[in-house]
Amino acid sequence: MDNTGLKIAVIADLHYYSPSLGTTGNAYELRSAQDQKCLAESGAIIDSAFESIKKSGADCVLIAGDLANNGERVCHEEVFEKISDLNKFLPAYTVYATHDWCCDNDAKRFEGDSVFHYDDTLTPPELRELYAPFGKNRAESEYITHLEASSYSLNIGKNIRLIATNDDQNGKGASGYTDEHLDWILSECKKAKANGEYIILMQHHMLISSISEIISKSQHIGDNIDVANKLADAGVSLVICGHSHMQRTTRFVSDNGNTLYQLNQGALCGYPAPITYLEINGEEMNVSVESLKEFEYNGKTETLDYIKKHTQNVVFALLEYAANDRDKFFKLLENNGISTDSIKNIYPVISKCAHYALTATVGKAGRLLNALTFGKGVNMKAVKKVEDDYLIDYIADLFLSVFDGSEKTYAPSDPVYDIVTDVASLPRRAVKLLPIKKLKDEKVMSVLLEIEKIAHELLVPSKPDNRHFTFTMQ
């Protein structure tokens, strides 16, 4: 069967937020300041992205979960209309996930200084019926999970089989699949391979860790390596997921030598506002990530830089509040479920450290670090090359790298590479010098080495490229 010219658009984590839930006032501003997502702007971002997809020449669009902010009925009703309009131009296929049914029972609305609980949220069975036009109504096979959520399978064009799954619970206290659910998935894979089809699996949670297990452990499904082995051996070529909001591509090889790729799609409503296009020609799949260029909001044309600054503000707002506004700082922590009782007495120290992080140059910070470590902290030759740059700018850039797939990279010859890797290796180097055997425990050392791995991955991401690459489907 001819695969030539099939083009698929992929987006995830729309987190559509209805303006009726409140987009002004101190309560909303505090909520917004702690979130990478652009909530008030989500509708405008989605509208612009959908218009871009309509003009892209894509044959269909896959939406990998978290369609609404946090399960609110009003959010689902409004985003459903947007997806329905897109679906008139090209078929849309969705999965829904934990945020879509407010699994934490903590949906909110905001008014002035007050936060109110929002009660009217949808259940998985209601979501199954609402989004039926973009899933089960087109399915050739459907599996209904123990939550009464829908997983489904169909051919989406040429010889490409889409298996779209709800992976919210595996029955063992984690996201993923029950044994029965996984058996259904593997059965669909077997039928697909018998029909000569290539397989794309779309779920919401990550299958495998990307940057590091330290960062990704809470983001991926339970029993993930076992499931990854089974999917790769069953012939799955690509797993599409969202959830972590990190734009990352990861290659996995099973114990039997079979390869699958994981496309961890970043959040559409947050930086880098990505749309991925899969272009399939024969056995080759070309993966290309584009960022949303602009959107109309409050009568103005905003660019990607608006979304970028919003994401950076997660770092800036925390430090600004810590440095200058004690009440807002503690409120921000409390809104994230962090107890502030134990740190209120040391707020003056926290405030000074935050002020230093916001104002210090790289040179000033490097000299202080070396003074505290007897000249062992960081390579001062590297520091001098960028000594007048502000420390906070590099902190913000590295924070962005978590989400954008390290679009801004640093070669090992770059002074920034030297500085960051020196700082990341400092805990391990310090532990090795300290005469405390417990600190040299294998688990402790493995964590410290993992910190260095994270720094390297953010600076120089491993292959495949997180924005553009081609691979052969199995």
Side-chain angles (χ1 to χ4, degrees):
M1 194 180 294
D2 182 19
N3 257 351
T4 304
L6 186 65
K7 185 174 183 178
I8 303 168
V10 180
I11 53 177
D13 293 270
L14 281 58
H15 286 281
Y16 173 74
Y17 178 82
S18 172
S20 65
L21 298 176
T23 59
T24 59
N26 286 332
Y28 175 78
E29 291 301 323
L30 273 171
R31 170 70 180 84
S32 180
Q34 65 185 336
D35 202 330
Q36 176 241 359
K37 304 188 296 292
C38 291
L39 294 181
E41 304 87 348
S42 60
I45 291 170
I46 291 167
D47 289 343
S48 180
F50 283 8
E51 286 303 311
S52 179
I53 291 170
K54 289 175 189 177
K55 298 172 184 176
S56 70
D59 297 292
C60 64
V61 58
L62 310 182
I63 309 177
D66 280 358
L67 312 176
N69 175 52
N70 204 17
E72 305 92 345
R73 183 179 298 275
V74 64
C75 295
H76 278 296
E77 289 173 348
E78 292 174 16
V79 80
F80 175 85
E81 292 303 319
K82 294 179 184 295
I83 299 172
S84 294
D85 179 68
L86 176 64
N87 189 62
K88 294 173 185 175
F89 290 83
L90 71 168
Y93 302 100
T94 64
V95 295
Y96 43 89
T98 49
H99 272 283
D100 289 316
W101 54 281
C102 191
C103 68
D104 61 1
N105 195 34
D106 196 28
K108 298 181 176 72
R109 64 179 182 86
F110 305 89
E111 186 176 327
D113 294 332
S114 301
V115 180
F116 300 94
H117 182 72
Y118 182 92
D119 293 318
D120 194 7
T121 57
L122 295 187
T123 64
E126 289 174 314
L127 291 168
R128 177 173 175 263
E129 294 307 317
L130 177 65
Y131 291 105
F134 320 125
K136 77 179 186 72
N137 285 1
R138 292 174 173 151
E140 296 164 18
S141 176
E142 184 191 20
Y143 178 85
I144 301 175
T145 75
H146 62 292
L147 295 174
E148 296 184 65
S150 178
S151 293
Y152 60 93
S153 169
L154 78 163
N155 184 297
I156 58 173
K158 307 298 177 74
N159 58 339
I160 301 298
R161 169 68 45 176
L162 172 67
I163 302 174
T165 65
N166 178 277
D167 67 347
D168 279 339
Q169 291 184 10
N170 67 356
K172 304 173 187 175
S175 60
Y177 306 108
T178 63
D179 291 342
E180 185 182 73
H181 194 175
L182 184 58
D183 285 344
W184 174 83
I185 294 170
L186 297 176
S187 174
E188 288 301 303
C189 291
K190 185 176 181 179
K191 287 189 288 185
K193 298 311 289 185
N195 290 333
E197 296 174 323
Y198 296 107
I199 305 166
I200 296 174
L201 186 140
M202 177 170 66
Q203 58 185 45
H204 180 64
H205 298 87
M206 294 169 65
L207 175 66
I208 45 181
S209 295
S210 53
I211 297 175
S212 164
E213 184 74 6
I214 290 177
I215 293 176
S216 304
K217 187 173 183 179
S218 64
Q219 311 286 336
H220 63 61
I221 64 171
D223 303 321
N224 66 314
I225 299 302
D226 179 59
V227 174
N229 270 291
K230 289 177 178 175
L231 293 178
D233 290 346
V236 175
S237 293
L238 180 69
V239 173
I240 294 167
C241 59
H243 189 58
S244 73
H245 296 194
M246 300 185 298
Q247 189 69 40
R248 294 274 158 180
T249 303
T250 309
R251 179 174 179 264
F252 175 85
V253 180
S254 75
D255 294 341
N256 293 326
N258 296 304
T259 299
L260 65 73
Y261 288 84
Q262 173 181 272
L263 170 63
N264 189 186
Q265 183 71 16
L268 181 64
C269 64
Y271 180 77
I275 304 170
T276 297
Y277 291 102
L278 312 175
E279 295 193 62
I280 302 167
N281 290 284
E283 296 180 345
E284 298 298 312
M285 180 182 289
N286 179 65
V287 181
S288 181
V289 182
E290 299 178 6
S291 287
L292 190 68
K293 292 180 174 62
E294 60 183 32
F295 61 99
E296 299 292 325
Y297 180 66
N298 279 350
K300 291 177 61 180
T301 300
E302 303 290 358
T303 66
L304 181 65
D305 195 52
Y306 180 101
I307 304 174
K308 182 178 182 179
K309 287 178 179 177
H310 179 88
T311 295
Q312 287 177 315
N313 192 55
V314 173
V315 175
F316 292 145
L318 179 65
L319 293 174
E320 286 282 358
Y321 293 159
N324 303 308
D325 195 322
R326 183 181 187 276
D327 291 341
K328 280 191 174 181
F329 174 63
F330 286 128
K331 188 68 175 176
L332 194 67
L333 295 181
E334 288 163 3
N335 284 353
N336 279 291
I338 300 171
S339 173
T340 58
D341 293 339
S342 60
I343 62 173
K344 285 181 178 178
N345 291 334
I346 60 169
Y347 173 73
V349 176
I350 294 173
S351 178
K352 287 181 180 179
C353 290
H355 186 268
Y356 186 88
L358 286 167
T359 59
T361 62
V362 174
K364 184 178 180 181
R367 287 188 289 273
L368 175 63
L369 181 60
N370 272 9
L372 295 173
T373 59
F374 305 101
K376 302 293 185 182
V378 64
N379 180 349
M380 286 305 296
K381 287 183 180 179
V383 168
K384 286 179 181 178
K385 292 178 182 178
V386 291
E387 64 179 340
D388 293 329
D389 293 347
Y390 284 97
L391 179 65
I392 186 62
D393 291 335
Y394 289 108
I395 294 172
D397 278 349
L398 286 172
F399 184 66
L400 291 177
S401 291
V402 172
F403 299 104
D404 69 10
S406 299
E407 188 169 1
K408 186 175 183 179
T409 60
Y410 300 89
S413 58
D414 192 295
V416 176
Y417 180 91
D418 272 349
I419 294 166
V420 174
T421 53
D422 278 350
V423 172
S425 68
L426 188 58
R428 178 181 57 82
R429 289 185 282 138
V431 165
K432 287 180 73 174
L433 292 173
L434 292 172
I436 305 173
K437 285 187 177 181
K438 285 186 178 180
L439 286 179
K440 294 179 174 62
D441 178 79
E442 185 177 337
K443 289 184 179 179
V444 173
M445 295 305 290
S446 67
V447 169
L448 298 181
L449 283 168
E450 195 68 15
I451 292 171
E452 295 178 55
K453 175 188 170 186
I454 292 169
H456 180 81
E457 182 66 20
L458 293 177
L459 294 163
V460 189
S462 58
K463 297 296 180 183
D465 187 279
N466 287 311
R467 307 285 293 190
H468 306 281
F469 74 100
T470 301
F471 70 95
T472 301
M473 297 182 292
Q474 63 164 329

